[in-house]
Amino acid sequence: MNSALNTTTPLCLLFDCDGTLVDSEILLAEVMGDILPEFGLPFSARQYMDEFRGVRFQTIVQTLEKRFQALAEDAFPQLEAGMRARMEARMRAELVTIPGMTAALEELSSHPKAVVSNGPERKIRCALESTELGHHFADRLFSAYTLNVWKPDPELYRKAAAAMGYAPQACVVIDDAAVGVEAGLAAGMHVIHLNHFPNEEVTPKGAIGIHHASELPTAIARLNA
């Protein structure tokens, strides 16, 4: 949706986590680029960034299995546990916020907010703790692993909106990845695409494209006018 609401009630802001609030995507890409080949699945960090950003880990593995070879029987739980452990260690040591996001969140303090992510809740909490963003969201965290629905399925954003007490048209999705933008549009919500790669990615019709988090408060103010 791209029409503004005629209301003075602050819109509900539904933030993606990885790549939107925190600069974790390159860390995840590197972790996957290390561990997937150890299990016989050729993969590179560049491949994650180009093809799989924001996609559910199990879906990535299943796609690679179709291209190359199936994992050994019962290997997936070991692979996923190893990936999660390595990722958490790197997040706690290296994770930073997306440039400009801390100031944007402060400026948007009057809006109700939640995090809606394809990642597990433990990973969301780790990200918010590591970057000290948790106070903006408290326990308003919606994980695909908890709700058992993953972007690009719009039901993940719809369930988050319902839990927050807002109709879809009163919500704004802020997401950097194609799967999240697609989910938000399909859910009937306003969508702001934080496009980190404007020379490579096109913001879909119906979404608002911005290139830096500092643009976020102005974009939301226009929607809330």
Side-chain angles (χ1 to χ4, degrees):
M1 293 181 67
N2 54 19
S3 61
L5 293 178
N6 294 318
T7 177
T8 57
T9 302
L11 293 165
C12 180
L13 309 183
L14 304 179
F15 285 83
D16 173 52
C17 187
D18 299 301
T20 299
L21 291 173
V22 299
D23 197 8
S24 55
E25 295 288 47
I26 189 59
L27 300 182
L28 181 57
E30 291 173 355
V31 168
M32 287 193 187
D34 287 339
I35 198 168
L36 285 166
E38 294 175 11
F39 283 76
L41 298 176
F43 198 74
S44 68
R46 183 72 257 172
Q47 190 175 356
Y48 174 81
M49 298 300 290
D50 288 345
E51 185 178 357
F52 292 108
R53 199 157 43 86
V55 176
R56 181 186 182 186
F57 181 64
Q58 185 176 25
T59 301
I60 296 173
V61 172
Q62 289 171 341
T63 301
L64 296 176
E65 286 185 292
K66 291 176 182 176
R67 290 180 186 175
F68 302 109
Q69 62 181 352
L71 289 172
E73 188 175 357
D74 299 326
F76 180 77
Q78 180 184 354
L79 167 58
E80 183 170 28
M83 183 275 289
R84 299 289 179 204
R86 293 186 196 188
M87 184 61 186
E88 183 168 326
R90 291 202 61 179
M91 288 172 68
R92 295 198 180 279
E94 304 173 48
L95 190 63
V96 296
T97 59
I98 289 295
M101 187 55 72
T102 299
L105 288 170
E106 293 291 348
E107 194 169 343
L108 293 165
S109 60
S110 64
H111 288 263
K113 303 177 191 66
V115 179
V116 186
S117 172
N118 264 0
E121 186 171 325
R122 178 179 176 129
K123 184 184 178 195
I124 301 170
R125 291 187 182 278
C126 177
L128 298 180
E129 290 169 4
S130 298
T131 54
E132 299 183 347
L133 295 181
H135 64 284
H136 292 288
F137 302 99
D139 285 326
R140 298 182 298 275
L141 312 178
F142 299 93
S143 164
Y145 284 80
T146 303
L147 297 175
N148 198 36
V149 59
W150 281 261
K151 308 171 195 177
D153 191 327
E155 193 63 19
L156 181 60
Y157 275 122
R158 289 186 184 132
K159 285 185 175 183
M164 292 287 288
Y166 285 80
Q169 62 267 27
C171 295
V172 183
V173 166
I174 302 98
D175 209 309
D176 72 299
V179 291
V181 173
E182 179 183 337
L185 290 172
M189 300 178 180
H190 300 276
V191 178
I192 295 177
H193 176 207
L194 180 52
N195 188 350
H196 299 299
F197 309 103
N199 294 328
E200 302 170 21
E201 295 184 6
V202 176
T203 294
K205 183 178 179 180
I208 298 167
I210 63 174
H211 300 151
H212 194 276
S214 61
E215 302 170 63
L216 187 57
T218 298
I220 290 172
R222 287 172 179 165
L223 286 173
N224 219 148

